[in-house]
Amino acid sequence: MGVRLEVHAMDNPAETVTYEFEADRVVLGRGAGADVRLPHTTVSVRHASIRLDGSRYVVVDHGSTNGTKLGEQLLVVERPKVLRDGDVIAIGTFRAKFSAGAVREPTSRERTSSLAKRLARLGPAGIRASPARLVVMNGEKQGTTLEIPDPPARLILGRGEQTDLPLPDADASREHCELLVELDGVMARDLGSKNGLIVNDKPVMQKRLRDRDELLIGATVVTYEDSADAILANVEALADEAIPPPPPPVAAPIPEPDTEPAREPERPIAVPPAASTLSRAEVLVVWLAAAVLIVSLAGLYWLLH
């Protein structure tokens, strides 16, 4: 039984790099000694490991600065957590999808280094390496560049016009050498040229290229540049970078109502009683006054007659 890991940068999930191992333990980290090297300072030098525990695999965090998550669960340091097919392990700014089973092609140590460089090209913005390229250093084509494509690919260099990098150099053969772009890196190979292939002042039949290697093709010097090599060398020496906590959620604004607020019902205005309305006492006074008037008029009538 083996381990398969599909690794991608968190902000670039469409581009994955696949590792396959038959080992009982797989170390993940930023350091050169890791089996899966993740080139970013949010990953500790020796961050976590996957190991076979009886008949099942477990993942263990080794006290990393930013911790290791299985899904959304943060692992307790040095406490193994059982893995199942399809589990996603979060390590710094990278994610690794785990599965167990038969291994088709184990990842060699050399391929591990090449895949680490590929992750550096696919990794988080800010440290992302530019694609490898060839740069012509002298002659009529001085300053000409040729970008190295993703594997698998084959490039021909020489004097012929149909080559991928035509060099107008009488000392170069029509098809002088080839570059084989593989998962394990870029291999330069002589194609039986009349003056041979010279890399870093040494004649070779084939050689795995590294950053700033110089190929002498006839009298033309072509430099192989790969910034991922420099990134891998520099990132291991840097201090761990703590991932800042996520910002607090922003409260959603309260929507304004579509209708006007309900108005309070108008209170009725109290109307005072009409002026003509009299009380009982007032009525009694009026009747008494009328009676006195009638008596007075009767007395006056009697005196006159």
Side-chain angles (χ1 to χ4, degrees):
M1 189 163 64
V3 172
R4 178 184 174 90
L5 294 172
E6 297 176 27
V7 181
H8 68 266
M10 186 173 64
D11 62 351
N12 194 8
E15 299 288 344
T16 61
V17 173
T18 302
Y19 295 80
E20 291 186 311
F21 301 99
E22 289 181 330
D24 292 341
R25 180 188 293 269
V26 176
V27 177
L28 300 91
R30 193 174 79 239
D35 301 299
V36 178
R37 194 173 181 187
L38 305 172
H40 197 268
T41 48
T42 57
V43 180
S44 297
V45 173
R46 186 173 181 268
H47 196 109
S49 65
I50 296 170
R51 71 168 188 255
L52 188 62
D53 185 4
S55 60
R56 57 188 183 177
Y57 283 99
V58 296
V59 59
V60 183
D61 178 80
H62 296 306
S64 60
T65 296
N66 290 303
T68 304
K69 286 185 176 181
L70 184 59
E72 295 301 321
Q73 183 180 4
L74 184 66
L75 301 186
V76 178
V77 175
E78 299 298 343
R79 182 183 295 176
K81 193 75 173 178
V82 174
L83 287 169
R84 296 189 178 93
D85 284 357
D87 279 345
V88 176
I89 306 167
I91 296 180
T93 55
F94 292 91
R95 302 291 180 267
K97 183 179 179 181
F98 167 84
S99 59
V103 172
R104 291 172 293 182
E105 187 177 358
T107 304
S108 65
R109 192 67 186 173
E110 194 168 40
R111 180 169 295 181
T112 295
S113 175
S114 177
L115 292 178
K117 289 193 285 185
R118 188 175 175 196
L119 280 176
R121 296 187 185 97
L122 302 175
I127 68 150
R128 190 170 296 165
S130 56
R133 64 177 187 168
L134 298 174
V135 182
V136 180
M137 306 303 294
N138 64 333
E140 293 184 27
K141 291 291 189 77
Q142 182 176 355
T144 301
T145 62
L146 175 64
E147 186 175 302
I148 305 297
D150 291 334
R154 180 175 182 260
L155 302 175
I156 304 295
L157 285 63
R159 194 178 75 248
E161 290 293 331
Q162 303 303 315
T163 60
D164 297 286
L165 183 60
L167 300 172
D169 184 339
D171 293 325
S173 298
R174 289 186 178 277
E175 292 189 352
H176 197 102
C177 66
E178 65 179 355
L179 299 186
L180 299 177
V181 186
E182 306 166 325
L183 289 176
D184 292 337
V186 178
M187 178 76 75
R189 180 177 296 164
D190 183 64
L191 292 176
S193 59
K194 60 182 179 181
N195 289 314
L197 173 63
I198 299 174
V199 179
N200 299 333
D201 297 325
K202 296 180 180 179
V204 297
M205 288 301 299
Q206 65 179 29
K207 184 183 185 301
R208 185 81 59 190
L209 296 181
R210 296 184 62 82
D211 182 41
R212 291 185 284 186
D213 278 349
E214 292 184 346
L215 291 75
L216 183 61
I217 302 172
T220 305
V221 177
V222 178
T223 299
Y224 174 78
E225 294 184 352
D226 189 353
S227 61
D229 276 331
I231 286 177
L232 291 178
N234 294 335
V235 75
E236 184 174 7
L238 298 175
D240 288 2
E241 173 189 350
I243 298 176
V250 178
I254 300 175
E256 296 183 0
D258 295 335
T259 58
E260 295 183 2
R263 295 181 179 179
E264 293 184 4
E266 296 183 358
R267 296 180 180 179
I269 300 175
V271 178
S276 58
T277 304
L278 301 177
S279 65
R280 287 184 177 182
E282 290 172 332
V283 171
L284 181 60
V285 170
V286 171
W287 278 105
L288 288 175
V292 171
L293 180 59
I294 291 171
V295 171
S296 298
L297 289 174
L300 180 60
Y301 179 80
W302 182 78
L303 287 175
L304 291 177
H305 292 83

